[in-house]
Amino acid sequence: MTAFCAFHSAKLSCLSKVVIFTTTTTITTTRTRLSFPAKLFSCQAQFADSGIDGSFSLKVVSPTLLAAEREEAKAVLSLFFKKQGLSNAVATRTINKSDHFINHLIAKLHYIHKSRYLVGRELTTLEIRDALIPYLESLLEEHGNIIVDVVENFPNPPVKEKTVVPVSQPNPTLDSKKLKAMSRVSEIDPDGKLRPHVLYLIELGMDLEKIKAITQRFPAFAYYSLEGKIKPVVEFLLDLGVPKSDIPTILNKRPQLCGISLSENLIPTMTFLENLGVDKKQWAKVIYRFPALLTHSRQKVKTTVEFLYEMGLSAESIGKILTRSPNIISYSVEDKLRPTAEYFLSLGVDVAVLLYRCPQTFGLSIEANLKPVTEFFLERGYSIEEIGTMISRYGALYTFSLSENLIPKWEFFLTMGYSKSELVKFPQYFGYSLEERIKPRYALVKESGVSLLLNQVLSLSYSDFEKALDKKVKKMLSNKDKSGSSDDLRSDNVH
């Protein structure tokens, strides 16, 4: 099978050249030649330092937080490799050789969530995973068997003999369909032009290699007509308020959208969802977040909605959940949503409140994510009831990494002089940056010689925090003055 691959970073617009590699049904030796422009990594480095349009700088991120995020990025990359069939040893060895690529992932992460860093809020493990996994999957689609080489040698082109072992026996018919589809999008007419629908997609901002990658994943995309399929859907999305710059991302996430009838499927499905409470003014954002929502069957949507009703959510709340977190529709009710709800119910959590505040928590693994966090707090003396109260008050609590977030912040909390009950009252403590918010503010409180509630230390804006601190200091000085005057009066009476 011959495939064309191009390593690129969409945000940086630093594109590589075409890669050709060959595999067969038996173990074969393939010479992999990747060509990256010399400026690729310098472009990425500049992106990491200053952000697009200079809007964000990594200078606001502490070295400690960067180190923690590197470990998170490594964990995501390790999970990704293991899902592709790599052993733990091979995945670890690859990651240890891939410092430049890890830096590239961190830079991408900081651009996507730059506003969070500017206010001193750390990302949760789930948010980091959600930002990086789609990007890694897009690279896999483009590079297939040479993805490990790409990661290890980033930003330099790997040129070496590789032994490629197919994961499974390829399907000749399927491979033939993919090859024909990919050949179709590359065809040039007698005038030297690509097919009209390919040119149209390129005008929208998609490059040819991305169109090939989509076609390799979903061959039918090559056969959609411009006037009958692609253009009507694109114009419909634009009319909904979707920015033109978002169209390539949406089509890459869900090319099947172009194969769905507007009048018979898309519009009726949207009407159905609007009747369930989806905010019609937010369609542009909903579709960008999760375009697959419009391709799920109505029965699938109904099943999820019925479950949400069963959990005690109102129609209005369900509409807001579907608007803010439409990907909840993709979770299996019986395999994911119900077991997770039962687990939280066992902790005394109001599941309806948690679903409304933090539906993404229901996408976590009970064994790998939820139970370890529960055990963490139990081991530190909290009761099941207190843990239930904490998660009810701060739904994102269970999305944080134990080693990189909960444990270091707990250890610092022990030095602050607060009682453990403060965390039950204010579990949001774990959502603030240790280096950029918690430590600096606590240092100011300690230096002033006064005490503030934990939520006052962290949740107030800086100006309000200063006012609260100043008020406490003035009150303390006033009390000292009064105490001093009383002492003087008693001394006079004695004499």
Side-chain angles (χ1 to χ4, degrees), residues 303-314 316-329 331-333 336-342 344-345 349-364 391-396:
T303 300
T304 302
V305 169
E306 286 171 359
F307 169 78
L308 296 176
Y309 275 125
E310 182 185 336
M311 291 298 104
L313 286 152
S314 67
E316 182 182 3
S317 295
I318 292 172
K320 289 181 178 179
I321 291 173
L322 295 178
T323 301
R324 293 196 322 262
S325 301
N327 57 316
I328 195 172
I329 296 296
Y331 301 153
S332 165
V333 169
K336 176 66 73 173
L337 294 178
R338 192 177 300 284
T340 304
E342 290 172 353
F344 281 122
L345 283 170
V349 174
D350 186 329
V351 172
V353 172
L354 182 58
L355 276 164
Y356 182 75
R357 291 180 178 173
C358 195
Q360 62 267 33
T361 303
F362 286 74
L364 297 172
I391 186 65
S392 294
R393 288 177 174 169
Y394 188 47

Side-chain angles (χ1 to χ4, degrees), residues 10-23:
K11 293 292 184 184
L12 307 180
S13 298
C14 298
L15 302 178
S16 66
K17 297 178 182 178
V18 173
V19 180
I20 300 177
F21 66 98
T22 304
T23 61

Side-chain angles (χ1 to χ4, degrees), residues 132-148:
L132 297 183
I133 287 294
Y135 176 61
L136 293 172
E137 288 176 343
S138 71
L139 295 183
L140 177 66
E141 289 167 7
E142 294 176 19
H143 300 291
N145 291 330
I146 61 171
I147 185 66
V148 171

Side-chain angles (χ1 to χ4, degrees), residues 13-50:
S13 298
C14 298
L15 302 178
S16 66
K17 297 178 182 178
V18 173
V19 180
I20 300 177
F21 66 98
T22 304
T23 61
T24 66
T25 58
T26 58
I27 298 177
T28 62
T29 299
T30 302
R31 187 165 181 81
T32 303
R33 289 186 179 272
L34 280 164
S35 179
F36 296 98
K39 294 182 179 179
L40 177 59
F41 190 69
S42 64
C43 177
Q44 181 263 335
Q46 180 183 5
F47 164 67
D49 181 61
S50 60

Side-chain angles (χ1 to χ4, degrees), residues 203-215:
E203 288 174 5
L204 286 173
M206 300 182 78
D207 60 75
L208 183 58
E209 298 309 318
K210 177 59 70 179
I211 298 170
K212 289 179 181 178
I214 293 173
T215 303

